[in-house]
Amino acid sequence: VQLQESGPGLVQPSQTLSLTCTVSGGSITSNYYYWSWIRQPPGKGLEWIGYIAYTGSAYYSPSLKSRASISRDTSNNQFSLQLSSVAPEDTAVYYCARQFAGAFDYWGQGTQVTVSS
């Protein structure tokens, strides 16, 4: 299984950050897999943003729930993150990952997103 993030590396404050994760080697609709977005701000630890389940249901971190939206495109085996009203503190490396039985077993390489005017 391989995951690859894509999207703009620079986003202006107050705009919406949009990233896509393309999955190969496995279907995002396969039972019991959850497809997550995770970020790591500079000098800080990993922060889980949310996931979209194999059923299509999405669940978010309470701290980001009001701004985050995760969707999927099953025809292209992709899932996407939108984070609205971004600010400089949303600057981070953003990762997509697969979760199974409570563990993240496959990760993308990560993509740097900088929020700046």
Side-chain angles (χ1 to χ4, degrees):
V1 177
Q2 292 186 320
L3 295 87
Q4 178 67 58
E5 305 90 349
S6 61
L10 180 65
V11 183
Q12 292 194 343
S14 80
Q15 299 301 304
T16 297
L17 178 161
S18 296
L19 297 173
T20 295
C21 183
T22 300
V23 180
S24 58
S27 173
I28 63 172
T29 61
S30 294
N31 282 351
Y32 313 126
Y33 291 119
Y34 298 79
W35 304 89
S36 283
W37 285 99
I38 299 157
R39 68 181 184 181
Q40 185 168 29
K44 297 185 178 181
L46 294 170
E47 179 183 21
W48 177 74
I49 299 169
Y51 68 63
I52 187 161
Y54 60 99
T55 59
S57 297
Y59 187 78
Y60 305 97
S61 165
S63 65
L64 293 168
K65 183 178 182 179
S66 63
R67 297 195 293 127
S69 177
I70 299 175
S71 59
R72 67 180 185 176
D73 177 355
T74 57
S75 62
N76 289 308
N77 214 35
Q78 297 174 326
F79 64 104
S80 298
L81 168 69
Q82 290 198 315
L83 188 65
S84 63
S85 304
V86 297
E89 49 266 36
D90 292 309
T91 293
V93 177
Y94 285 75
Y95 298 93
C96 56
R98 190 182 80 169
Q99 186 176 358
F100 178 69
F104 297 105
D105 57 355
Y106 289 97
W107 293 70
Q109 65 182 22
T111 187
Q112 173 71 46
V113 177
T114 301
V115 179
S116 175
S117 55

